């Protein structure tokens, strides 16, 4: 079980690190370097070539992260049921993941549209100039927002993951379980049936506490 947890956590963390780092480097590095190309009609093709090279690596990183995240969700489900606050953090993490996936997918679609535009004159990869067609400029304006939204969302995922790691410390686990048990005991239905204590006991025994 320990080896399984290590593998899942490694997939989760390494995939997320590549997703975050790649998006940030792309915004600063790939797009920034392409904007310095002297020929304004070659700026989009240069950036498109760089992003195309990164896309398969990014897809593999996202896949590894998602596989690790799902695996961790399954293995940590008993603690989610028993420890107060873990469920809320997991819900927030899921929402951020969905948002990052949507932003990444839409960004790739916009990037493909720019790539098909060919040698269009632009001020930068995400900045049009006076010669840029309106449809290309519209894609650029959306990409300018998304290139920062993706690292912001994945960066927030890293922060939430760190917080959830803190929740796994013995003291936090104990306080969270006591808080959940206290909440269940003060619920009229569970007080009448004793369901809260029974659920708590089963969850703690599954978790080895």
């Amino acid at each position: 079980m320990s080896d399984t947890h290590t593998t899942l956590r490694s997939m989760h963390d390494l995939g997320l690190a590549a997703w975050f780092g790649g998006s940030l480097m792309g915004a600063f590095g790939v797009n920034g370097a392409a904007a310095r190309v002297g020929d304004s009609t070659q700026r989009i093709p240069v950036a498109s070539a760089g992003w195309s090279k990164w896309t398969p690596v990014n897809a593999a990183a996202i896949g590894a992260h998602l596989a690790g995240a799902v695996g961790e969700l399954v293995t940590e489900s008993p603690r989610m049921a028993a420890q107060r606050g873990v469920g809320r953090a997991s819900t927030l993490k899921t929402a951020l993941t969905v948002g990052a996936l949507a932003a990444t997918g839409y960004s790739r679609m916009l990037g493909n549209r720019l790539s098909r535009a060919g040698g269009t004159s632009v001020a930068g990869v995400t900045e049009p100039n006076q010669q840029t067609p309106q449809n290309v400029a519209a894609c650029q304006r959306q990409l300018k927002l998304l290139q920062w939204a993706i690292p912001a969302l994945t960066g927030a995922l890293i922060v939430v993951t760190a917080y959830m790691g803190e929740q796994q410390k013995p003291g936090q686990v104990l306080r969270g379980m006591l808080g959940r048990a206290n909440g269940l005991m003060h619920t009229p239905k569970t007080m009448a049936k004793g369901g809260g204590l029974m659920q708590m006991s089963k969850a703690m025994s599954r978790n080895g506490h």
Side-chain angles (χ1 to χ4, degrees):
M1 184 63 71
S2 178
D3 290 342
T4 301
H5 277 278
T6 300
T7 300
L8 290 173
R9 183 164 294 183
S10 297
M11 293 171 63
H12 173 284
D13 291 354
L14 288 172
L16 181 55
W19 193 3
F20 168 75
S23 63
L24 195 61
M25 187 284 299
F28 279 109
V30 176
N31 291 351
R36 293 179 175 271
V37 173
D39 186 348
S40 65
T41 64
Q42 291 302 306
R43 290 167 184 164
I44 288 178
V46 167
S48 297
W51 281 111
S52 294
K53 287 286 186 179
W54 173 246
T55 295
V57 179
N58 195 44
I62 293 173
H65 168 69
L66 293 178
V70 171
E72 283 195 335
L73 183 63
V74 172
T75 58
E76 292 292 325
S77 57
R79 193 168 61 84
M80 288 177 59
Q83 183 181 350
R84 173 174 286 184
V86 176
R88 289 194 299 270
S90 181
T91 300
L92 174 59
K93 184 177 177 181
T94 299
L96 288 170
T97 301
V98 171
L101 284 170
T104 301
Y106 191 57
S107 177
R108 184 57 186 165
M109 183 187 74
L110 292 175
N112 286 335
R113 288 181 184 175
L114 287 184
S115 181
R116 290 193 294 269
T120 300
S121 177
V122 294
V125 179
T126 58
E127 296 81 24
N129 61 21
Q130 293 181 346
Q131 288 77 45
T132 306
Q134 287 300 315
N135 62 324
V136 175
C139 286
Q140 288 182 294
R141 283 190 287 269
Q142 293 179 72
L143 270 176
K144 189 169 186 176
L145 296 176
L146 289 172
Q147 72 174 350
W148 304 117
I150 296 170
L153 288 167
T154 51
L157 270 173
I158 293 174
V159 173
V160 173
T161 298
Y163 173 74
M164 294 182 73
E166 291 296 309
Q167 288 182 315
Q168 294 179 353
K169 290 183 176 180
Q172 293 289 339
V173 172
L174 179 60
R175 281 192 290 272
M177 286 185 168
L178 291 175
R180 173 58 59 84
N182 185 58
L184 290 172
M185 289 175 66
H186 285 81
T187 301
K189 185 176 180 180
T190 54
M191 287 179 67
K193 296 183 178 180
L197 290 175
M198 184 177 295
Q199 179 182 347
M200 181 66 191
S201 176
K202 289 180 179 179
M204 290 180 70
S205 63
R206 286 198 300 268
N207 241 4
H209 293 285

